[in-house]
Amino acid sequence: AQTVTQSQPEMSVQEAETVTLSCTYDTSESNYYLFWYKQPPSRQMILVIRQEAYKQQNATENRFSVNFQKAAKSFSLKISDSQLGDTAMYFCAFMEYGNKLVFGAGTILRVKS
Amino acid sequence: DAGVIQSPRHEVTEMGQEVTLRCKPISGHDYLFWYRQTMMRGLELLIYFNNNVPIDDSGMPEDRFSAKMPNASFSTLKIQPSEPRDSAVYFCASSLSRGQGIEETQYFGPGTRLLVL
């Protein structure tokens, strides 16, 4: 079965600095998607960024970018110029064929002023 | 688009009562998912539908849980009778199939926070 591992239960970063959240996954599939979702205190699940496994170019969305290493099965999220509003739980997720999302346990990120 | 809509946003009920959670997916999406989030178990997929048909309900914890999708714009998750261990946040999500076997991104509703006393 596919698994997603987020090895950092909690992280903190100073406002305006850069932070990287780690994620590794295990699969035998060659075609899949990877996602980062953000869950602020409101509990809403918000899509941050998406990566398609067959694309070599790393996805970027404004201050958010990923480092996708397919051979290493690694998918880290970099947040640049961190803002107080980035404080949230971040979930890495893997989508296998058949439309099932597998989530990691999450990383709590605290942005400090 | 209004996004995925869920109601109620909060529900407090007593053990033994019936609870019905509602979801309206994004218009045009043909997949609908129900998830449950707890501190102990994280995010769990309970059931999902494709074109209103249940595809996989292996995540439904017990017979007390049931889900329906009578049409493309509405789904319900029912718990009868409810128990304190059902207390959790329940999310509905929807996505659009690309038709090539690799499905699209799931968009989540705001969730329903359920407390069973």
Side-chain angles (χ1 to χ4, degrees), chain B residues 80-94:
Chain B
Q80 167 62 23
S82 59
E83 295 183 5
R85 59 196 168 111
D86 301 331
S87 298
V89 180
Y90 291 82
F91 288 100
C92 177
S94 70

Side-chain angles (χ1 to χ4, degrees), chain A residues 31-33 35 37 39 41-45 47 50 52 54 91 95-101 103, chain B residues 31 33 35 37 43 45 48 56 58 89 91 95 98 101-110 113:
Chain A
N31 260 343
Y32 50 86
Y33 285 114
F35 304 86
Y37 283 89
Q39 188 175 41
S42 67
R43 292 286 197 153
Q44 174 81 46
M45 290 288 286
L47 176 70
R50 181 182 80 172
E52 298 170 359
Y54 60 87
F91 291 97
M95 177 182 285
E96 64 183 22
Y97 183 91
N99 218 20
K100 287 189 178 183
L101 262 178
F103 287 92
Chain B
Y31 278 83
F33 308 82
Y35 290 89
Q37 185 180 33
L43 274 156
L45 176 65
Y48 76 93
D56 186 346
S58 60
V89 180
F91 288 100
S95 71
R98 291 174 59 187
I102 304 297
E103 284 77 24
E104 273 289 357
T105 303
Q106 293 183 26
Y107 294 93
F108 284 74
R113 190 171 297 190

Side-chain angles (χ1 to χ4, degrees), chain B residues 3-11 18-25 32-34 66-70 73-79 90-93 109-113:
Chain B
V4 177
I5 299 172
Q6 290 186 249
S7 65
R9 295 292 304 277
H10 302 273
E11 177 80 23
E18 178 179 293
V19 175
T20 299
L21 311 181
R22 297 173 176 80
C23 175
K24 176 179 169 54
L32 184 139
F33 308 82
W34 283 100
S66 63
K68 294 182 180 180
M69 192 165 186
S73 59
F74 183 66
S75 177
T76 59
L77 178 67
K78 187 174 294 186
I79 309 172
Y90 291 82
F91 288 100
C92 177
T112 295
R113 190 171 297 190

